[in-house]
């Protein structure tokens, strides 16, 4: 019987090591990763060398340890942060000092480690290590919260004796604990998550129509019926499509978001307005991405004047709005790609697949609201992608821009393999 393949076989791991006493634990961590079959590259901040020699980490990882973005005597190698960021399946920062956490939270890129974190398309796992009061400080806690909002995972610091002699929370989790979490994370994401290392597929000469945001259905000049959509997912899709060279039109319900560069934005308010704007443009679109949270009902009557409160109860009669996506599906060109969204709480997969079929879609992006992190959250999302061909892929919790890239990657790869 052959031995089971190691849990991290052929995985590409970046390990960021910063200037903390816990840096000595980076050595056994590298060994554990290597033993599990991973290909490991180590990036250190300049202060890390005070605690652990690059020679140790370089020997154990069998690869050169990188610290500076602009290394002396190495012409032309300054783009390594970009290539490493694309190469990695996962970037672990362990130990992560308060200083590096602050830099990561605010987008500083003054070392190979921080610059690579900004370039990386893979998930990041941050393992804080510092003294108790530094860890508890509001500034550090705010920075850790910011990292979570960006979509990084933060492993809670462990409780115990600290280098200062104090006892409390602040210890780096043990290498075995980090190793196990890394294995779990990568097992959850069998295909290296977004940014599958290749150059993204181009949308040049492609006309893309995107809908985003909520709609607002007025029942008098002051009041409206609406929903909690922020428009972030649709805007991320429009931006990602424009970045790939697409001619993008974004039909947007009311949001507070800035128009993405290079995108034509058509502002609408009601479902009826959105329907008009979409139907006028659908015939010429090659790719249609309908992320808007369209109101299904609108007040049957609108009062021209502000309704006064008279009775204890107010009864509004609502009537159905047009199903914009369904109409686009009914008139779909055979070479057109149609992607819808579904927001579900009950039997999510079955409902999403039914919508895919009823609306004649090629893909549907399912937000299962019973899952943590899915839906109208501010900056991250967890979705499942279902295709007309019957495939279903769960994507992990990711920043919405990465979800947008992953959706485009999957949709365009399927189209390329068809043609
Ligand atoms: N949609 C649309 N027009 C509507 C309602 C929905 O174009 N009047 C689109 C949404 O943009 C989304 C998809 O249809 O891409 C599914 O939306 P969702 O709200 O999940 O489902 P509904 O079709 O409205 O069905 P239900 O509310 O019954 O779940």
């Amino acid at each position: 019987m052959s031995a089971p393949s190691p849990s991290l076989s052929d995985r590409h791991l970046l390990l960021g090591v910063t200037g903390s006493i816990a840096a000595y634990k980076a050595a056994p961590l590298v060994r554990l990763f290597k033993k599990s079959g991973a290909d490991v590259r180590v990036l250190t901040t300049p202060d890390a060398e005070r605690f652990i020699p690059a020679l140790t980490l370089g020997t154990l990882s069998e690869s050169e340890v990188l610290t500076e973005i602009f290394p002396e005597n190495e012409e032309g190698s300054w783009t390594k942060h970009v290539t490493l960021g694309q190469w990695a399946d996962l970037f672990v920062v362990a130990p992560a000092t308060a200083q590096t956490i602050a830099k990561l939270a605010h987008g500083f890129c003054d070392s190979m480690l921080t610059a690579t974190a900004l370039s990386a398309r893979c998930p990041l796992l941050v393992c804080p290590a510092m003294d108790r009061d530094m860890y508890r400080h509001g500034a550090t806690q705010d920075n850790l919260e910011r990292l979570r909002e960006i979509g990084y995972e933060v492993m809670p610091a462990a409780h115990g004796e600290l280098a200062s002699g104090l006892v409390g929370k602040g210890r780096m989790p043990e290498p075995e604990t980090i190793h196990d979490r890394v294995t779990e994370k990568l097992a959850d994401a069998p295909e290296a998550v977004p940014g599958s290392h290749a150059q993204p597929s181009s949308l040049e000469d492609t006309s893309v129509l995107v809908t985003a945001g909520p709609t607002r259905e007025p029942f008098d000049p002051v009041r409206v019926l609406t929903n909690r959509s922020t428009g972030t997912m649709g805007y991320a899709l429009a931006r990602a499509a424009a970045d790939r060279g697409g001619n993008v039109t974004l039909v947007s319900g009311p949001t507070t978001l800035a128009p993405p560069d290079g995108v034509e934005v058509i502002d609408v308010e009601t479902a009826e307005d959105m329907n008009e704007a979409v139907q006028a443009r659908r015939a010429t679109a090659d790719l249609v991405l309908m992320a808007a949270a369209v109101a299904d009902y609108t007040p049957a009557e609108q009062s021209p004047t502000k309704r006064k409160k008279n009775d204890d109860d107010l009864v509004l009669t609502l009537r159905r709005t047009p199903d914009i996506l369904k109409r686009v599906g009914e008139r779909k060109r055979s070479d057109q790609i149609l992607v819808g969204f579904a927001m579900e709480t009950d039997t999510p997969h079955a409902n999403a697949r039914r919508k895919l079929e009823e609306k004649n879609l090629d893909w549907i992006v399912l937000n299962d609201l019973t899952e943590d992190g899915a839906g109208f959250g501010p900056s991250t999302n967890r979705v499942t992608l279902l295709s007309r061909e019957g495939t279903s892929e769960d994507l992990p919790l990711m920043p919405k821009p990465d979800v947008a890239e992953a959706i485009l990657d999957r949709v365009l790869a399927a189209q390329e393999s068809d043609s």
Side-chain angles (χ1 to χ4, degrees):
M1 212 170 75
S2 62
S5 62
S7 56
L8 294 173
S9 196
D10 299 325
R11 291 303 199 171
H12 293 175
L13 294 186
L14 282 175
L15 175 63
V17 181
T18 72
S20 152
I21 181 69
Y24 77 92
K25 292 189 193 168
L29 187 56
V30 173
R31 287 202 65 209
L32 286 170
F33 287 151
K34 292 290 286 183
K35 271 191 162 173
S36 295
D39 192 349
V40 185
R41 304 284 155 84
V42 180
L43 310 177
T44 57
T45 58
D47 281 341
E49 175 87 14
R50 294 171 188 258
F51 297 94
I52 183 154
L55 186 61
T56 307
L57 295 171
T59 308
L60 292 172
S61 64
E62 301 175 281
S63 188
E64 184 195 3
V65 174
L66 300 170
T67 305
E68 306 293 342
I69 315 184
F70 301 107
E72 282 172 26
N73 312 323
E74 260 202 84
E75 275 177 38
S77 66
W78 66 273
T79 53
K80 266 192 187 155
H81 58 292
V82 178
T83 41
L84 281 171
Q86 292 180 344
W87 169 87
D89 292 312
L90 187 69
F91 190 166
V92 186
V93 185
T97 56
Q99 164 88 337
T100 295
I101 287 167
K103 288 181 180 176
L104 293 175
H106 296 280
F108 282 62
C109 46
D110 57 350
S111 69
M112 186 59 100
L113 189 159
T114 48
T116 306
L118 273 190
S119 302
R121 300 226 199 128
C122 63
L124 260 92
L125 177 66
V126 177
C127 307
M130 66 200 74
D131 206 59
R132 184 188 68 183
D133 297 300
M134 293 173 82
Y135 185 65
R136 286 208 300 216
H137 197 285
T140 304
Q141 289 301 318
D142 281 355
N143 288 333
L144 289 172
E145 190 48 38
R146 175 76 193 124
L147 293 186
R148 291 188 198 99
E149 278 170 20
I150 295 171
Y152 295 180
E153 179 176 334
V154 177
M155 282 190 88
H159 187 275
E161 241 177 67
L162 301 163
S164 60
L166 293 174
V167 173
K169 246 183 151 186
R171 285 172 67 88
M172 185 177 98
E174 290 308 313
E176 290 75 14
T177 314
I178 298 173
H179 170 271
D180 290 352
R181 182 64 200 127
V182 166
T183 308
E184 264 172 32
K185 257 180 109 64
L186 288 172
D188 279 353
E191 294 295 317
V193 215
S196 36
H197 320 311
Q199 196 73 354
S201 313
S202 166
L203 279 170
E204 236 151 85
D205 300 323
T206 306
S207 164
V208 184
L209 180 61
V210 183
T211 66
T215 61
R216 249 189 218 160
E217 311 297 328
F219 61 93
D220 76 12
V222 183
R223 292 134 175 152
V224 295
L225 300 182
T226 187
N227 60 61
R228 295 181 198 279
S229 167
T230 57
T232 319
M233 193 61 241
Y235 274 61
L237 277 167
R239 185 171 290 114
D243 286 351
R244 293 176 188 229
N247 279 323
V248 184
T249 304
L250 171 62
V251 178
S252 172
T255 75
T256 55
L257 303 171
D261 276 350
V263 170
E264 185 196 2
V265 182
I266 317 272
D267 288 313
V268 295
E269 176 143 355
T270 63
E272 192 55 61
D273 299 341
M274 185 173 277
N275 184 45
E276 248 175 60
V278 168
Q279 304 307 338
R281 290 163 182 83
R282 55 146 196 95
T284 50
D286 303 306
L287 171 60
V288 183
L289 303 153
M290 304 272 278
V294 186
D296 289 322
Y297 290 91
T298 191
E301 279 172 28
Q302 267 193 55
S303 162
T305 51
K306 186 180 169 210
R307 292 178 81 127
K308 288 300 192 190
K309 54 176 178 298
N310 295 320
D311 306 323
D312 284 346
D313 298 323
L314 168 66
V315 178
L316 283 178
T317 305
L318 304 178
R319 68 175 157 69
R320 284 280 292 273
T321 55
D323 189 326
I324 307 171
L325 181 55
K326 192 161 185 222
R327 290 190 184 180
V328 175
E330 283 161 1
R331 296 161 181 77
K332 182 164 134 30
R333 281 195 338 248
S334 60
D335 60 341
Q336 204 168 33
I337 308 176
L338 191 47
V339 183
F341 278 67
M343 198 157 256
E344 306 293 345
T345 51
D346 303 313
T347 55
H349 278 76
N351 272 330
R353 189 150 292 288
R354 179 182 51 75
K355 281 180 194 170
L356 181 143
E357 280 159 19
E358 281 176 7
K359 301 194 188 196
N360 193 22
L361 311 179
D362 299 291
W363 295 85
I364 195 153
V365 182
L366 166 63
N367 282 290
D368 174 355
L369 296 184
T370 60
E371 296 232 9
D372 279 353
F376 290 152
S379 54
T380 56
N381 203 359
R382 183 197 298 277
V383 301
T384 302
L385 259 180
L386 291 95
S387 74
R388 179 194 278 274
E389 275 66 43
T391 62
S392 162
E393 181 185 6
D394 293 327
L395 297 178
L397 183 69
M398 292 192 278
K400 283 185 176 171
D402 290 350
V403 177
E405 297 290 353
I407 292 170
L408 293 181
D409 282 345
R410 305 307 190 269
V411 169
L412 299 176
Q415 193 208 14
E416 276 162 22
S417 70
D418 279 355
S419 55

